[in-house]
Amino acid sequence: MSTYEWVKPLERILNRPLTVLTMKPAEWKAAAEGAEAASEPFIDGAMSAGIWIEHNGKLWVVAETSQKQLSVLEMEARNLEAKDKELISWSLRHASSGSKAYGDTGASESEKLAFKLGEWLQKQLEAEEPVYSLPDHLTVGNRLYHDMIPFLLVAEQSSVKQDVYPELEKLLRSFLSDDILLIPLKSREWLIWGPMSLLKDEDAEMHELAEEETMEDSLASIAIGLHEMLASEWLGECHLAVTHPVSPAKGMVEAAITMRETIHLGRKFHVGTNIHLPWMLQLERLLNAIPESNRSKYLEQSLKRADLFVESEMLSTLDTFFSLDCNVSETAKKLYIHRNTLLYRLDKLKQETGLDVRQFRDAVLVKIILLLYKVTKRN
C-alpha cells in the first residue's frame, strides 16, 4: 500500500488533516536535532518507517524510506496521546514491511520517483486549491523543466493488474522513446510524458504528405498509433487523451486536469470513441457546463419539431457529415451512397425541420441537438 492510500483512513481515525511530505534524510535529521520529542527508533539511529518526531507543534512520522528521500506524514501534534503515536508508528511499520511500491523489491529509482510524483499529483487533483508547480525535491535535474508531450491513459477493463508498472514502462519505451516518464495515478490510470523528439519525428514523416501539418494533427497521429499499440499488445479497451506540450514542472497538474476532463467529455458525448483531443471538444465542454435541466428543456423543444433527428439512418448521416466538415462529396463516399441520395436526405431534413445543415447557422444548431440527444438518451 502506498503512502497516499494511508492518508484518508488515518485522517478519519485521528480526526485531523494529514499532509504527505517528501524530504531528504538530511532534512529529517536537521529537524530532529531541535525536536521537542522523538521516538526510540530514531534515538537508536535507525531511519525506517514508523519513526517520528515532534517539530514546531507538528508530528512527523516516516511512512516510507529510500536511500535518497523519505515520505513523511505531517499532522498536528495537539491532543495526540502516546498510545496514538505508538499506533500510527506500528501501522506504518507494518505497511512498509509488506509494501512493494517503494521497498527493497528491485524497483528502479525512476519507478520510485514516478510513484512519488503520482502521489503528489493525485493529492493536487483532489485539492480545492491545488499547487500547480512541482516542489523542487520532486524534479529530476533539469529534465522536467523542458517541454514534454503529456498523454493520459485510462484502462477500461477492471482485470488489469495493479503491479503493471514495469511492464507498461517497458512497452512505452519500446514504442515511444527511452526518454519517457510514466506516472501512475488512480487504479488503471497513468500519466505519460513523451519527449519533444516524438513530435519532430512525426513532423518529418508527414512532411512529404502535408507541408502544412499542424501540431494538433501530429499529436493526434501519435495518440492514434499509441492507442492502437496499447489496445492490441496490452490493455485491450482503453482511452487515451493528449494535449499540447508543456513543462511538467510547471504544467503537470493543469495538463492532468485538462486531459481528465477531455476523456470524461469524450466518453459522455461520443460513446465508442477512444482517442480524445481537447481541441476537438470545445462545443461539448460548453454544453456540459449548462445545467442539465436547461439542456433537457432545449432538447425537448427541438425534438418536437421532428422525430427525423433520432432515426438511426439520419443520425449516422449527420455524424459523418459533421466529421467531414460538412463536405457533401466526401460524406457520400464515406457512407457508400450516391451524392444525390445524400442530398435527398439533407433536403428531407430541411423540409421537416426548417434546418439546412449546408448553412453554417443551421449546422451549428443541428450539431448541438445531436450532442444533447445522445447524452439525454443514455441518461
Side-chain angles (χ1 to χ4, degrees):
M1 181 178 291
S2 70
T3 305
Y4 186 82
E5 290 174 304
W6 275 97
V7 172
K8 294 301 180 183
L10 278 176
E11 281 184 336
R12 290 194 296 269
I13 293 170
L14 298 173
N15 193 28
R16 65 191 65 211
L18 305 181
T19 302
V20 179
L21 307 177
T22 304
M23 63 180 65
K24 297 178 180 178
E27 295 177 295
W28 172 276
K29 291 178 180 178
E33 290 179 358
E36 302 155 18
S39 60
E40 287 299 323
F42 176 79
I43 296 174
D44 292 340
M47 294 292 290
S48 59
I51 63 174
W52 58 265
I53 60 173
E54 285 190 29
H55 175 72
N56 294 332
K58 303 286 187 179
L59 179 69
W60 284 1
V61 188
V62 173
E64 290 165 346
T65 66
S66 69
Q67 293 182 347
K68 296 183 178 180
Q69 60 187 13
L70 309 173
S71 288
V72 178
L73 294 185
E74 180 187 72
M75 65 199 79
E76 291 286 342
R78 176 174 46 86
N79 296 332
L80 280 178
E81 299 181 2
K83 63 179 182 180
D84 297 322
K85 300 172 188 176
E86 189 176 332
L87 179 59
I88 297 170
S89 177
W90 178 87
S91 299
L92 292 176
R93 283 200 309 274
H94 180 74
S96 177
S97 64
S99 174
K100 295 183 180 180
Y102 309 106
D104 299 327
T105 58
S108 65
E109 288 299 320
S110 63
E111 182 178 347
K112 294 175 184 178
L113 174 64
F115 275 84
K116 300 291 185 184
L117 286 168
E119 288 181 358
W120 179 87
L121 178 57
Q122 185 61 43
K123 187 165 187 179
Q124 303 315 312
L125 293 174
E126 295 183 359
E128 293 184 4
E129 297 182 3
V131 176
Y132 285 93
S133 296
L134 277 173
D136 292 340
H137 62 268
L138 287 181
T139 58
V140 187
N142 294 323
R143 179 186 181 192
L144 298 186
Y145 288 99
H146 296 293
D147 282 357
M148 299 181 75
I149 305 172
F151 303 86
L152 185 65
L153 170 64
V154 179
E156 189 75 22
Q157 300 176 7
S158 59
S159 59
V160 174
K161 296 182 296 183
Q162 298 300 308
D163 55 344
V164 298
Y165 186 94
E167 179 185 349
L168 179 56
E169 184 182 41
K170 181 179 179 180
L171 198 60
L172 292 171
R173 288 185 186 280
S174 66
F175 184 82
L176 295 176
S177 165
D178 284 337
D179 195 25
I180 61 104
L181 174 62
L182 175 64
I183 301 175
L185 294 175
K186 288 185 176 180
S187 176
R188 307 193 304 277
E189 182 183 38
W190 298 268
L191 182 61
I192 305 165
W193 291 92
M196 290 296 291
S197 59
L198 292 172
L199 196 58
K200 295 175 183 177
D201 291 344
E202 185 68 25
D203 288 341
E205 292 175 4
M206 297 298 295
H207 182 70
E208 296 180 359
L209 299 177
E211 294 184 358
E212 297 183 358
E213 181 83 352
T214 65
M215 176 182 288
E216 286 79 10
D217 290 336
S218 296
L219 291 171
S221 180
I222 296 170
I224 291 170
L226 177 58
H227 175 266
E228 289 178 352
M229 184 276 293
L230 290 169
S232 62
E233 297 291 335
W234 186 62
L235 285 173
E237 188 73 13
C238 61
H239 294 267
L240 188 70
V242 62
T243 190
H244 295 93
V246 67
S247 159
K250 302 297 182 182
M252 183 176 291
V253 174
E254 188 171 357
I257 291 173
T258 297
M259 291 188 292
R260 271 190 173 178
E261 180 191 28
T262 297
I263 289 179
H264 170 72
L265 292 173
R267 297 175 73 170
K268 182 175 183 178
F269 286 94
H270 302 286
V271 174
T273 300
N274 298 88
I275 311 285
H276 309 285
L277 310 172
W279 52 87
M280 297 295 292
L281 296 169
Q282 304 284 15
L283 180 57
E284 288 84 345
R285 181 174 291 107
L286 178 63
L287 294 178
N288 195 58
I290 299 174
E292 177 66 30
S293 59
N294 292 358
R295 297 202 304 260
S296 299
K297 183 177 181 181
Y298 176 78
L299 180 63
E300 182 181 354
Q301 293 172 343
S302 300
L303 291 180
K304 283 180 179 178
R305 302 169 67 177
D307 292 331
L308 188 60
F309 282 122
V310 301
E311 292 181 2
S312 59
E313 183 181 80
M314 184 59 71
L315 282 173
S316 175
T317 299
L318 292 173
D319 278 339
T320 306
F321 184 67
F322 289 134
S323 71
L324 295 172
D325 297 324
C326 302
N327 186 303
V328 172
S329 298
E330 292 299 320
T331 301
K333 290 179 182 178
K334 185 71 175 289
L335 293 172
Y336 300 102
I337 60 175
H338 193 277
R339 175 187 171 92
N340 289 342
T341 302
L342 175 60
L343 292 176
Y344 169 77
R345 292 179 185 176
L346 299 183
D347 286 337
K348 182 179 179 181
L349 179 70
K350 180 181 178 182
Q351 291 173 4
E352 295 198 20
T353 68
L355 298 172
D356 184 355
V357 292
R358 288 161 290 188
Q359 301 296 320
F360 175 76
R361 179 179 178 276
D362 289 351
V364 172
L365 291 175
V366 173
K367 176 68 173 177
I368 291 173
I369 292 170
L370 289 182
L371 288 172
L372 294 179
Y373 170 72
K374 290 177 181 178
V375 176
T376 302
K377 179 182 178 182
R378 287 195 300 275
N379 291 341

